[in-house]
Amino acid sequence: MFVCLLRGINVNGIKIKNHDLKIVFEQLGFTDVTLVLQTGNVIYNTDLDLAAQKEMIENALRETFNYEAFVIVRDAQEMHSLIDDYPFDLRNDMQPYVIFVNSDVVMQDLLLLPRDPDEFVQLGNNVVYWTVRKGMTLDSKFGNALGKKMYKSDTTSRNLRSIEKIVAKIK
């Protein structure tokens, strides 16, 4: 099983219905396609390697929906471990995030971004973990820097609670 995380759909005018997204994945030959939430989280099976999946999916999304598609593809086992490996205390006043990254250079760059005193960043296995005060995700120093165009093609983030929902759907 694999999970594809689409970046930037159903925001900024890019609207893709889950039904239409599922059809694209099925047309690519992927099986057991399941969508989770409305934010571009797709679970599926294939025998293709990660790089081939990423290229096929991005091309199909660009052609079908006419937008600059960027995706992160991970295997199901890796998704499971993200929850157990989350390094920060889960507090009611903080938002827990996992930032998925396609590039080692970008991953190292993210670790050097400025932060507010009450937000924390730590390197994980092919991810960067981040916790930030609720209501400050986009306004924090790190969140603001993370939103820069230079990271668009290589990153996407998910709240840890969204990852829990994705993992719960993996067979």
Side-chain angles (χ1 to χ4, degrees):
M1 296 294 293
F2 294 91
V3 176
C4 179
L5 306 169
L6 282 69
R7 186 184 203 292
I9 70 160
N10 297 333
V11 295
N12 299 326
I14 300 169
K15 301 287 185 194
I16 300 176
K17 294 179 182 176
N18 272 354
H19 177 279
D20 298 335
L21 186 57
K22 183 175 183 178
I23 289 171
V24 169
F25 275 73
E26 290 172 341
Q27 288 174 339
L28 289 172
F30 300 149
T31 59
D32 303 316
V33 178
T34 304
L35 284 86
V36 183
L37 305 170
Q38 296 290 320
T39 56
N41 307 298
V42 186
I43 302 167
Y44 58 91
N45 268 318
T46 184
D47 291 330
L48 298 172
D49 67 41
L50 293 174
Q53 292 174 51
K54 180 180 181 342
E55 183 178 353
M56 282 178 59
I57 294 166
E58 287 179 344
N59 288 337
L61 293 172
R62 285 181 186 120
E63 291 172 15
T64 305
F65 301 111
N66 197 30
Y67 82 105
E68 192 174 15
F70 300 108
V71 302
I72 303 280
V73 179
R74 297 291 191 260
D75 68 48
Q77 185 61 38
E78 184 177 343
M79 295 298 289
H80 278 281
S81 68
L82 294 175
I83 297 167
D84 292 335
D85 293 347
Y86 192 79
F88 305 117
D89 291 334
L90 298 176
R91 299 178 10 200
N92 289 335
D93 63 332
M94 301 294 280
Q95 288 285 18
Y97 287 99
V98 177
I99 303 163
F100 295 85
V101 187
N102 276 336
S103 159
D104 290 336
V105 171
V106 170
M107 185 137 9
Q108 294 304 315
D109 195 38
L110 294 180
L111 296 173
L112 300 175
L113 291 177
R115 299 174 209 147
D116 288 325
D118 59 350
E119 65 181 334
F120 303 94
V121 173
Q122 184 173 317
L123 181 64
N125 182 22
N126 287 323
V127 298
V128 172
Y129 293 105
W130 173 38
T131 188
V132 61
R133 188 159 306 284
K134 282 188 177 177
M136 293 298 296
T137 301
L138 299 177
D139 295 324
S140 72
K141 286 181 183 177
F142 185 83
N144 190 27
L146 182 62
K148 293 186 186 296
K149 187 174 183 168
M150 64 189 282
Y151 300 122
K152 184 176 181 179
S153 64
D154 288 312
T155 66
T156 192
S157 62
R158 295 294 187 274
N159 189 292
L160 187 65
R161 288 165 186 85
S162 295
I163 294 171
E164 290 169 340
K165 290 176 184 175
I166 294 167
V167 167
K169 296 277 186 179
I170 296 173
K171 298 174 185 167

